[in-house]
Amino acid sequence: MNKLRAAVIGVGYLGNFHVQKYLACAGVEVVGVVDTDEARAREIATKYRIPAHTDFLPLLAELDLVSIVTPPATHYRVARACLEAGVHVLVEKPVTETVAEAETLIDIATARGLVFQVGHLERFNPAVIALRKLLATPQRIEARRFAKYKKRGTDVDVVLDLMIHDIDIVLSLVDGELADIRCSGTTVVTGDLDIAHARLRFQNGCVAELSASRVHKEPVRSMNVYQRESYISVDYSNHALLVGKLDDSGHKREARDVTFETQSLVRTDVLMDEISSFVAAIAGGTQPTVSGEDGKKALALAVEISQRINHSRGARAASSGDPG
Ligand code: NAD
Protein backbone atom coordinates (compact mmCIF):
# COMPACT_ATOMS: atom_id res chain seq x y z
CA MET A 1 0.00 0.00 0.00
CA ASN A 2 1.23 3.49 -0.81
CA LYS A 3 2.35 5.60 2.11
CA LEU A 4 0.30 8.67 3.07
CA ARG A 5 2.16 11.84 2.11
CA ALA A 6 2.35 14.34 4.96
CA ALA A 7 3.63 17.85 5.66
CA VAL A 8 3.80 19.91 8.83
CA ILE A 9 2.87 23.57 8.40
CA GLY A 10 4.42 25.68 11.16
CA VAL A 11 7.53 24.08 12.65
CA GLY A 12 8.10 26.23 15.71
CA TYR A 13 8.09 24.72 19.22
CA LEU A 14 5.28 22.17 18.77
CA GLY A 15 5.54 21.64 14.99
CA ASN A 16 9.03 20.19 15.49
CA PHE A 17 7.48 17.38 17.57
CA HIS A 18 4.74 16.78 14.99
CA VAL A 19 7.47 16.19 12.38
CA GLN A 20 9.25 13.74 14.73
CA LYS A 21 6.06 11.74 15.29
CA TYR A 22 5.13 11.49 11.59
CA LEU A 23 8.64 10.27 10.85
CA ALA A 24 7.97 7.44 13.32
CA CYS A 25 4.64 6.48 11.65
CA ALA A 26 5.10 3.39 9.48
CA GLY A 27 2.45 4.31 6.91
CA VAL A 28 3.52 7.92 6.43
CA GLU A 29 6.11 9.68 4.29
CA VAL A 30 6.94 13.26 5.33
CA VAL A 31 7.40 15.14 2.06
CA GLY A 32 8.03 18.62 3.45
CA VAL A 33 8.08 21.06 6.34
CA VAL A 34 6.71 24.57 5.92
CA ASP A 35 7.37 27.71 7.91
CA THR A 36 7.09 31.36 6.90
CA ASP A 37 10.27 31.88 8.93
CA GLU A 38 12.72 30.60 6.32
CA ALA A 39 15.59 30.08 8.79
CA ARG A 40 13.35 27.94 11.04
CA ALA A 41 12.03 25.94 8.05
CA ARG A 42 15.64 25.24 6.98
CA GLU A 43 16.74 24.34 10.52
CA ILE A 44 14.00 21.71 10.94
CA ALA A 45 14.36 20.48 7.34
CA THR A 46 18.10 19.98 7.81
CA LYS A 47 17.60 18.23 11.16
CA TYR A 48 15.26 15.63 9.62
CA ARG A 49 16.57 15.70 6.02
CA ILE A 50 13.25 16.78 4.52
CA PRO A 51 12.67 19.54 1.93
CA ALA A 52 11.92 23.00 3.41
CA HIS A 53 9.23 25.38 2.14
CA THR A 54 8.06 28.84 3.13
CA ASP A 55 4.68 28.56 1.37
CA PHE A 56 2.39 25.56 1.75
CA LEU A 57 0.19 26.27 -1.29
CA PRO A 58 2.46 24.83 -4.03
CA LEU A 59 2.91 21.67 -1.95
CA LEU A 60 -0.79 20.83 -1.55
CA ALA A 61 -1.12 18.81 -4.78
CA GLU A 62 1.47 16.33 -3.44
CA LEU A 63 -0.18 15.79 -0.05
CA ASP A 64 -2.68 13.46 1.63
CA LEU A 65 -2.50 15.06 5.08
CA VAL A 66 -1.14 18.00 7.04
CA SER A 67 -0.62 19.08 10.62
CA ILE A 68 -1.24 22.80 11.03
CA VAL A 69 0.87 24.01 13.95
CA THR A 70 0.89 27.73 13.26
CA PRO A 71 -0.44 30.53 15.53
CA PRO A 72 -4.24 30.43 16.06
CA ALA A 73 -4.91 33.53 13.92
CA THR A 74 -3.68 31.61 10.85
CA HIS A 75 -5.51 28.30 11.46
CA TYR A 76 -8.65 29.16 9.48
CA ARG A 77 -6.93 30.43 6.34
CA VAL A 78 -4.40 27.59 6.21
CA ALA A 79 -6.89 24.82 7.10
CA ARG A 80 -9.44 26.08 4.58
CA ALA A 81 -6.90 26.02 1.73
CA CYS A 82 -5.78 22.51 2.70
CA LEU A 83 -9.32 21.11 2.95
CA GLU A 84 -10.33 22.75 -0.33
CA ALA A 85 -7.36 21.00 -1.96
CA GLY A 86 -8.67 17.64 -0.66
CA VAL A 87 -6.04 17.25 2.11
CA HIS A 88 -6.91 15.72 5.53
CA VAL A 89 -6.22 18.19 8.37
CA LEU A 90 -5.04 17.95 11.96
CA VAL A 91 -5.12 21.51 13.29
CA GLU A 92 -3.79 22.55 16.68
CA LYS A 93 -6.09 24.07 19.29
CA PRO A 94 -7.90 26.44 19.35
CA VAL A 95 -9.43 25.19 16.09
CA THR A 96 -9.98 28.73 14.75
CA GLU A 97 -10.58 32.20 16.15
CA THR A 98 -14.36 32.22 15.62
CA VAL A 99 -17.12 29.64 15.77
CA ALA A 100 -18.32 30.62 12.27
CA GLU A 101 -14.84 29.82 10.89
CA ALA A 102 -14.88 26.41 12.62
CA GLU A 103 -18.31 25.68 11.12
CA THR A 104 -17.09 26.53 7.62
CA LEU A 105 -14.14 24.15 8.00
CA ILE A 106 -16.39 21.35 9.33
CA ASP A 107 -18.74 21.83 6.35
CA ILE A 108 -15.90 21.67 3.81
CA ALA A 109 -14.41 18.57 5.44
CA THR A 110 -17.81 16.85 5.60
CA ALA A 111 -18.68 17.68 1.98
CA ARG A 112 -15.35 16.27 0.79
CA GLY A 113 -15.22 13.25 3.12
CA LEU A 114 -11.99 14.45 4.76
CA VAL A 115 -10.74 13.80 8.28
CA PHE A 116 -10.66 17.05 10.24
CA GLN A 117 -9.14 16.58 13.69
CA VAL A 118 -8.35 19.17 16.38
CA GLY A 119 -5.26 18.92 18.60
CA HIS A 120 -6.87 18.55 22.01
CA LEU A 121 -3.95 16.47 23.24
CA GLU A 122 -5.25 15.71 26.74
CA ARG A 123 -7.88 13.37 25.28
CA PHE A 124 -4.98 10.97 24.68
CA ASN A 125 -3.57 11.30 28.21
CA PRO A 126 -3.67 7.81 29.79
CA ALA A 127 -4.99 9.32 33.05
CA VAL A 128 -7.98 10.76 31.16
CA ILE A 129 -8.56 7.46 29.35
CA ALA A 130 -8.45 5.61 32.72
CA LEU A 131 -10.75 8.23 34.29
CA ARG A 132 -13.42 7.56 31.65
CA LYS A 133 -13.52 3.88 32.66
CA LEU A 134 -14.34 4.87 36.27
CA LEU A 135 -16.82 7.58 35.39
CA ALA A 136 -20.43 7.31 36.57
CA THR A 137 -22.27 10.63 36.90
CA PRO A 138 -19.83 13.39 37.85
CA GLN A 139 -21.31 15.83 40.38
CA ARG A 140 -18.40 18.18 40.73
CA ILE A 141 -15.24 18.73 38.69
CA GLU A 142 -12.32 20.98 39.60
CA ALA A 143 -9.62 21.63 37.01
CA ARG A 144 -6.46 23.64 37.49
CA ARG A 145 -4.05 24.45 34.66
CA PHE A 146 -1.23 26.78 35.61
CA ALA A 147 1.87 27.57 33.55
CA LYS A 148 4.93 29.75 34.00
CA TYR A 149 4.90 32.91 31.92
CA LYS A 150 6.38 32.59 28.43
CA LYS A 151 5.86 34.79 25.40
CA ARG A 152 4.90 31.87 23.16
CA GLY A 153 1.10 31.40 23.02
CA THR A 154 0.22 34.92 24.16
CA ASP A 155 -1.39 35.84 20.84
CA VAL A 156 -4.61 34.48 22.42
CA ASP A 157 -5.79 34.89 26.02
CA VAL A 158 -5.34 32.27 28.75
CA VAL A 159 -8.85 30.88 28.19
CA LEU A 160 -8.14 30.08 24.52
CA ASP A 161 -4.58 29.00 25.20
CA LEU A 162 -4.83 26.91 28.39
CA MET A 163 -8.35 26.64 29.82
CA ILE A 164 -9.64 25.32 26.48
CA HIS A 165 -7.95 21.96 27.22
CA ASP A 166 -10.05 21.51 30.37
CA ILE A 167 -13.17 22.90 28.68
CA ASP A 168 -12.83 20.17 26.04
CA ILE A 169 -12.32 17.45 28.67
CA VAL A 170 -15.26 18.64 30.81
CA LEU A 171 -17.57 18.78 27.76
CA SER A 172 -16.52 15.25 26.90
CA LEU A 173 -17.17 13.99 30.47
CA VAL A 174 -20.49 15.62 31.35
CA ASP A 175 -23.59 14.37 29.63
CA GLY A 176 -25.83 17.43 29.69
CA GLU A 177 -26.48 20.97 28.55
CA LEU A 178 -24.96 24.00 30.24
CA ALA A 179 -27.34 25.91 32.50
CA ASP A 180 -25.17 28.73 33.80
CA ILE A 181 -21.70 30.25 33.44
CA ARG A 182 -20.00 32.44 36.06
CA CYS A 183 -16.51 33.68 35.40
CA SER A 184 -13.85 36.18 36.32
CA GLY A 185 -10.31 36.95 35.26
CA THR A 186 -7.52 39.41 35.21
CA THR A 187 -4.56 40.75 33.30
CA VAL A 188 -1.12 40.58 34.85
CA VAL A 189 1.54 40.71 32.13
CA THR A 190 0.17 40.62 28.60
CA GLY A 191 -2.64 43.18 28.52
CA ASP A 192 -4.99 40.26 27.77
CA LEU A 193 -6.46 37.75 30.26
CA ASP A 194 -3.61 35.92 32.01
CA ILE A 195 -5.70 34.39 34.81
CA ALA A 196 -9.25 33.10 34.47
CA HIS A 197 -11.79 31.22 36.55
CA ALA A 198 -15.03 29.74 35.27
CA ARG A 199 -17.85 28.00 37.11
CA LEU A 200 -20.00 25.95 34.76
CA ARG A 201 -23.32 24.57 36.02
CA PHE A 202 -24.93 21.90 33.88
CA GLN A 203 -28.65 21.14 33.70
CA ASN A 204 -28.04 17.71 35.28
CA GLY A 205 -26.65 19.47 38.39
CA CYS A 206 -22.94 18.88 37.75
CA VAL A 207 -20.75 21.88 38.53
CA ALA A 208 -17.29 22.33 36.99
CA GLU A 209 -14.86 24.89 38.38
CA LEU A 210 -11.98 25.67 36.02
CA SER A 211 -8.93 27.79 36.85
CA ALA A 212 -6.17 28.73 34.44
CA SER A 213 -3.13 30.94 34.80
CA ARG A 214 -0.14 31.58 32.57
CA VAL A 215 1.77 33.59 35.16
CA HIS A 216 2.15 30.92 37.81
CA LYS A 217 5.35 30.06 39.67
CA GLU A 218 5.34 26.44 38.55
CA PRO A 219 3.29 24.29 36.19
CA VAL A 220 0.19 22.51 37.54
CA ARG A 221 -2.21 20.42 35.45
CA SER A 222 -4.78 18.56 37.49
CA MET A 223 -8.44 17.63 37.61
CA ASN A 224 -10.57 16.23 40.46
CA VAL A 225 -13.85 14.51 39.70
CA TYR A 226 -16.36 13.83 42.48
CA GLN A 227 -19.27 11.48 42.00
CA ARG A 228 -21.42 9.30 44.27
CA GLU A 229 -19.19 7.04 46.34
CA SER A 230 -15.93 7.95 44.64
CA TYR A 231 -13.38 10.66 44.04
CA ILE A 232 -10.91 10.59 41.16
CA SER A 233 -7.89 12.85 40.88
CA VAL A 234 -6.12 13.20 37.53
CA ASP A 235 -2.49 14.29 37.41
CA TYR A 236 -2.11 15.18 33.74
CA SER A 237 1.63 15.85 33.91
CA ASN A 238 2.59 12.55 35.51
CA HIS A 239 -0.08 10.44 33.80
CA ALA A 240 -1.31 9.37 37.24
CA LEU A 241 -4.71 8.71 38.78
CA LEU A 242 -5.63 8.69 42.46
CA VAL A 243 -8.94 7.03 43.26
CA GLY A 244 -10.74 7.50 46.57
CA LYS A 245 -13.62 5.09 47.24
CA LEU A 246 -16.08 4.52 50.07
CA ASP A 247 -15.55 1.01 51.40
CA ASP A 248 -18.38 -1.36 50.63
CA SER A 249 -17.82 -3.80 53.51
CA GLY A 250 -21.38 -3.61 54.69
CA HIS A 251 -20.91 -1.00 57.45
CA LYS A 252 -23.61 1.54 58.10
CA ARG A 253 -23.19 4.59 55.91
CA GLU A 254 -21.79 6.79 58.71
CA ALA A 255 -19.19 4.14 59.66
CA ARG A 256 -17.84 3.68 56.15
CA ASP A 257 -14.32 4.82 55.44
CA VAL A 258 -12.69 6.26 52.31
CA THR A 259 -9.73 4.36 50.93
CA PHE A 260 -7.28 5.89 48.45
CA GLU A 261 -5.40 4.02 45.80
CA THR A 262 -3.00 5.28 43.15
CA GLN A 263 -3.56 3.54 39.84
CA SER A 264 -0.32 2.78 38.10
CA LEU A 265 -0.64 3.74 34.48
CA VAL A 266 1.85 3.16 31.70
CA ARG A 267 3.22 6.53 30.58
CA THR A 268 2.56 7.11 26.91
CA ASP A 269 3.67 9.48 24.18
CA VAL A 270 0.40 11.43 23.91
CA LEU A 271 1.38 13.37 20.78
CA MET A 272 2.34 10.11 19.05
CA ASP A 273 -1.05 8.68 20.06
CA GLU A 274 -2.84 11.78 18.75
CA ILE A 275 -1.04 11.62 15.41
CA SER A 276 -1.44 7.83 15.11
CA SER A 277 -5.17 8.23 15.71
CA PHE A 278 -5.34 10.89 12.96
CA VAL A 279 -3.49 8.63 10.53
CA ALA A 280 -5.68 5.64 11.52
CA ALA A 281 -8.86 7.68 10.92
CA ILE A 282 -7.60 8.55 7.41
CA ALA A 283 -6.55 4.98 6.63
CA GLY A 284 -9.75 3.48 8.03
CA GLY A 285 -12.16 6.15 6.80
CA THR A 286 -13.38 6.63 10.39
CA GLN A 287 -14.23 9.64 12.57
CA PRO A 288 -11.25 11.09 14.45
CA THR A 289 -11.16 10.85 18.27
CA VAL A 290 -11.35 14.65 18.53
CA SER A 291 -13.50 15.92 15.69
CA GLY A 292 -13.90 19.40 14.23
CA GLU A 293 -17.25 19.50 16.04
CA ASP A 294 -15.49 18.83 19.38
CA GLY A 295 -13.02 21.60 18.62
CA LYS A 296 -15.86 23.95 17.74
CA LYS A 297 -17.76 23.20 20.97
CA ALA A 298 -14.67 23.85 23.10
CA LEU A 299 -13.95 27.05 21.15
CA ALA A 300 -17.55 28.28 21.50
CA LEU A 301 -17.46 27.93 25.29
CA ALA A 302 -13.95 29.40 25.56
CA VAL A 303 -14.99 32.43 23.50
CA GLU A 304 -18.13 32.85 25.63
CA ILE A 305 -16.08 32.76 28.85
CA SER A 306 -13.50 35.23 27.47
CA GLN A 307 -16.17 37.61 26.25
CA ARG A 308 -18.06 37.52 29.54
CA ILE A 309 -14.92 38.23 31.55
CA ASN A 310 -13.82 41.04 29.25
CA HIS A 311 -17.32 42.49 29.24
CA SER A 312 -17.54 42.57 33.04
CA ARG A 313 -13.99 43.97 33.34
CA GLY A 314 -14.91 46.68 30.81
CA ALA A 315 -18.10 47.48 32.70
CA ARG A 316 -16.20 47.70 36.01
CA ALA A 317 -13.54 49.96 34.45
CA ALA A 318 -16.23 52.21 32.94
CA SER A 319 -18.10 52.54 36.25
CA SER A 320 -14.88 53.41 38.12
CA GLY A 321 -13.81 55.92 35.45
CA ASP A 322 -10.72 53.80 34.80
CA PRO A 323 -9.95 53.66 31.01
CA GLY A 324 -9.41 49.90 31.39
P1 NAD B 1 5.50 28.77 17.75
O1 NAD B 1 5.42 30.25 17.68
O2 NAD B 1 6.66 28.16 18.46
O3 NAD B 1 5.47 28.16 16.27
C1 NAD B 1 4.61 28.62 15.26
C2 NAD B 1 5.38 28.57 13.94
O4 NAD B 1 4.46 28.83 12.88
C3 NAD B 1 6.47 29.63 13.85
O5 NAD B 1 7.71 29.00 13.52
C4 NAD B 1 5.99 30.57 12.74
O6 NAD B 1 7.06 31.13 11.98
C5 NAD B 1 5.15 29.64 11.90
N1 NAD B 1 4.13 30.29 11.07
C6 NAD B 1 3.36 31.38 11.37
N2 NAD B 1 2.47 31.61 10.37
C7 NAD B 1 2.69 30.64 9.43
C8 NAD B 1 2.08 30.34 8.18
N3 NAD B 1 1.06 31.07 7.71
N4 NAD B 1 2.57 29.29 7.48
C9 NAD B 1 3.58 28.54 7.95
N5 NAD B 1 4.21 28.79 9.13
C10 NAD B 1 3.74 29.81 9.86
O7 NAD B 1 4.12 28.29 18.39
P2 NAD B 1 3.78 26.90 19.10
O8 NAD B 1 3.92 27.04 20.56
O9 NAD B 1 4.47 25.78 18.40
O10 NAD B 1 2.20 26.83 18.84
C11 NAD B 1 1.68 26.56 17.57
C12 NAD B 1 0.25 26.06 17.71
O11 NAD B 1 0.23 24.91 18.55
C13 NAD B 1 -0.72 27.06 18.37
O12 NAD B 1 -1.99 26.90 17.78
C14 NAD B 1 -0.79 26.61 19.82
O13 NAD B 1 -2.03 26.93 20.45
C15 NAD B 1 -0.67 25.11 19.65
N6 NAD B 1 -0.10 24.44 20.83
C16 NAD B 1 -0.78 23.37 21.33
C17 NAD B 1 -0.31 22.70 22.45
C18 NAD B 1 -1.07 21.52 22.98
O14 NAD B 1 -0.85 21.10 24.10
N7 NAD B 1 -1.96 20.94 22.20
C19 NAD B 1 0.90 23.11 23.04
C20 NAD B 1 1.60 24.19 22.48
C21 NAD B 1 1.08 24.84 21.36
Side-chain angles (χ1 to χ4, degrees):
M1 210 177 103
N2 287 341
K3 287 191 170 188
L4 293 166
R5 292 157 305 166
V8 177
I9 306 177
V11 285
Y13 165 73
L14 189 60
N16 170 43
F17 296 109
H18 277 245
V19 179
Q20 256 182 31
K21 305 309 169 193
Y22 282 117
L23 288 170
C25 278
V28 175
E29 180 191 358
V30 184
V31 299
V33 294
V34 185
D35 204 294
T36 44
D37 175 343
E38 191 175 353
R40 180 66 181 174
R42 283 237 179 87
E43 181 191 338
I44 297 296
T46 307
K47 183 171 166 189
Y48 299 112
R49 297 166 194 243
I50 304 165
H53 304 263
T54 52
D55 182 6
F56 67 94
L57 287 171
L59 198 59
L60 288 180
E62 289 180 42
L63 298 175
D64 296 302
L65 65 98
V66 289
S67 267
I68 300 172
V69 201
T70 55
T74 63
H75 287 180
Y76 174 67
R77 186 181 64 79
V78 177
R80 182 169 182 157
C82 294
L83 291 168
E84 283 178 342
V87 175
H88 302 283
V89 166
L90 166 56
V91 63
E92 266 307 329
K93 46 54 60 175
V95 55
T96 47
E97 288 190 302
T98 70
V99 174
E101 288 172 348
E103 273 163 0
T104 303
L105 297 183
I106 292 166
D107 288 348
I108 300 170
T110 308
R112 292 178 168 252
L114 295 167
V115 175
F116 179 41
Q117 180 167 329
V118 183
H120 285 292
L121 199 59
E122 298 290 23
R123 294 278 197 109
F124 298 89
N125 191 309
V128 173
I129 293 167
L131 163 71
R132 283 190 204 286
K133 294 184 185 144
L134 301 171
L135 207 66
T137 308
Q139 293 173 338
R140 182 176 175 80
I141 301 175
E142 297 160 351
R144 299 192 309 153
R145 188 169 294 263
F146 302 153
K148 285 185 179 177
Y149 176 69
K150 55 183 174 338
K151 259 187 96 53
R152 208 164 35 78
T154 54
D155 45 344
V156 290
D157 72 20
V158 70
V159 180
L160 283 143
D161 188 32
L162 297 183
M163 190 185 277
I164 197 164
H165 286 290
D166 298 310
I167 291 173
D168 171 63
I169 296 293
V170 166
L171 292 179
S172 76
L173 295 178
V174 182
D175 186 14
E177 295 297 310
L178 259 180
D180 184 44
I181 305 171
R182 302 285 164 95
C183 43
S184 63
T186 194
T187 292
V188 180
V189 180
T190 64
D192 210 340
L193 294 176
D194 295 316
I195 296 178
H197 301 281
R199 182 180 189 277
L200 312 175
R201 188 169 57 77
F202 290 84
Q203 279 173 5
N204 66 6
C206 179
V207 169
E209 305 250 12
L210 314 183
S211 298
S213 165
R214 57 183 177 196
V215 288
H216 205 252
K217 188 162 166 281
E218 65 247 346
V220 175
R221 288 192 285 143
S222 67
M223 177 176 277
N224 296 331
V225 177
Y226 303 87
Q227 53 191 14
R228 269 190 75 79
E229 315 248 316
S230 70
Y231 155 92
I232 308 158
S233 181
V234 171
D235 177 347
Y236 286 108
S237 311
N238 295 308
H239 295 185
L241 205 67
L242 177 77
V243 183
K245 275 188 186 155
L246 268 175
D247 76 40
D248 53 1
S249 49
H251 294 301
K252 280 194 187 143
R253 189 168 184 85
E254 58 278 13
R256 291 166 78 186
D257 206 355
V258 180
T259 55
F260 287 94
E261 164 195 308
T262 303
Q263 282 208 355
S264 51
L265 303 170
V266 178
R267 268 193 94 90
T268 55
D269 179 339
V270 284
L271 184 59
M272 188 71 215
D273 290 348
E274 175 183 277
I275 283 173
S276 303
S277 114
F278 175 52
V279 171
I282 296 167
T286 54
Q287 274 296 313
T289 305
V290 189
S291 66
E293 195 61 41
D294 293 325
K296 184 190 89 176
K297 282 186 190 153
L299 175 75
L301 185 48
V303 167
E304 173 85 29
I305 291 169
S306 273
Q307 284 176 347
R308 284 182 184 226
I309 298 173
N310 285 320
H311 186 263
S312 66
R313 290 178 70 233
R316 265 201 316 278
S319 69
S320 68
D322 181 338

